Amino acid sequence: MMNDKHKKRRSKKSLLLFLSIGLVFSGLWFSTTSTATFVKAYMLYKTGNVEAKDFSSKPKSPQIEIAEKPSKKETLNLEYPQKPEVGDLMGELLIPKLEASLPIIHGTDEDELEKGVGHFAQSVLPGENDNSVLSGHRDTVFRELGEIGKGDIFIVKTYAGTFTYKVRQVRIVDQDDRTVIVPKPKATLTVSTCYPFDYIGYAPERYILVADLISSK
């Protein structure tokens, strides 16, 4: 009777040992598989310890943001404190050869041209890169402009500074020639008036002086 009980105890111990060993190996296998990783991640996510992530086997490439190339500022190399309004007195044009000092008015309508030299409002302001265009009547402010030629000087004074230009080209063009106001690759002053100077009535041509900026203060 005692032998039977002893055998049963040994059988139970052997079974328990076998089960224990099986559980250990099962645990090791389980913890090293992707299934365990998924279960662990899921449990952490459900308990609020981590944010939801993509657990796909292939990692996604990081998103790279490419900054936009800044646009190039093409026209200005100085800033005026404020832009003039049409009709404003914006400076004066000095012509040393003629010993003349003429007011510059922003705009080229008849109202502005009656007051002085008009600045074409769609062109850049004096001293800035590109083409600044001035116009005046041949029988008032520009009565003697025909005496100005290549190599002569214009000085423009505005509240942004004093700008000296030297005439490099004299042109006579048709009244409808739009090349007078085209953009220029550098700071240029274009001065125009009606031509011929002694013409009776509305003159059909324009006398054009093209001058390059040589100094500024």
Side-chain angles (χ1 to χ4, degrees):
M1 199 62 186
M2 291 293 293
N3 288 334
D4 290 339
K5 287 182 180 180
H6 183 67
K7 287 179 181 179
K8 284 182 181 180
R9 283 194 197 119
R10 290 183 63 185
S11 296
K12 285 181 181 180
K13 286 181 180 180
S14 298
L15 181 61
L16 289 173
L17 179 62
F18 176 78
L19 290 174
S20 297
I21 293 171
L23 287 173
V24 169
F25 279 103
S26 297
L28 289 173
W29 174 84
F30 187 79
S31 64
T32 57
T33 61
S34 59
T35 304
T37 302
F38 175 79
V39 172
K40 289 177 184 177
Y42 178 76
M43 292 304 294
L44 288 171
Y45 167 63
K46 293 300 287 182
T47 56
N49 291 326
V50 294
E51 296 178 355
K53 293 182 181 179
D54 184 5
F55 289 99
S56 59
S57 57
K58 198 177 210 179
K60 289 186 177 180
S61 300
Q63 296 296 318
I64 301 174
E65 293 184 5
I66 302 175
E68 293 184 6
K69 188 177 181 180
S71 59
K72 187 177 180 182
K73 199 172 187 180
E74 296 177 350
T75 56
L76 297 181
N77 64 351
L78 67 97
E79 292 288 345
Y80 275 73
Q82 64 183 58
K83 302 298 182 182
E85 299 289 337
V86 171
D88 286 351
L89 173 66
M90 54 175 285
E92 62 178 328
L93 173 65
L94 306 178
I95 310 176
K97 187 174 181 177
L98 303 179
E99 297 182 350
S101 175
L102 307 169
I104 301 174
I105 311 300
H106 190 57
T108 50
D109 289 336
E110 193 58 38
D111 288 343
E112 288 79 55
L113 294 179
E114 286 180 357
K115 301 174 185 176
V117 178
H119 171 255
F120 181 54
Q122 279 69 51
S123 68
V124 299
L125 297 172
E128 294 179 341
N129 286 332
D130 210 331
N131 188 14
S132 184
V133 181
L134 302 181
S135 298
H137 285 316
R138 62 190 166 95
D139 53 355
T140 57
V141 292
F142 283 160
R143 186 178 289 112
E144 300 178 303
L145 194 65
E147 297 180 25
I148 303 301
K150 188 174 180 179
D152 289 326
I153 297 296
F154 289 119
I155 300 173
V156 179
K157 290 185 176 182
T158 73
Y159 46 82
T162 298
F163 311 102
T164 302
Y165 296 85
K166 185 176 182 179
V167 177
R168 66 172 168 84
Q169 185 180 34
V170 179
R171 302 175 61 204
I172 296 174
V173 302
D174 186 77
Q175 61 178 334
D176 297 323
D177 191 326
R178 306 302 290 175
T179 62
V180 175
I181 59 175
V182 297
K184 303 290 185 181
K186 58 184 178 181
T188 303
L189 184 71
T190 300
V191 179
S192 71
T193 192
C194 296
Y195 184 85
F197 290 98
D198 57 356
Y199 194 84
I200 303 299
Y202 188 77
E205 296 176 309
R206 298 292 179 266
Y207 186 77
I208 308 297
L209 298 167
V210 181
D212 296 327
L213 182 68
I214 58 173
S215 70
S216 59
K217 297 180 183 178

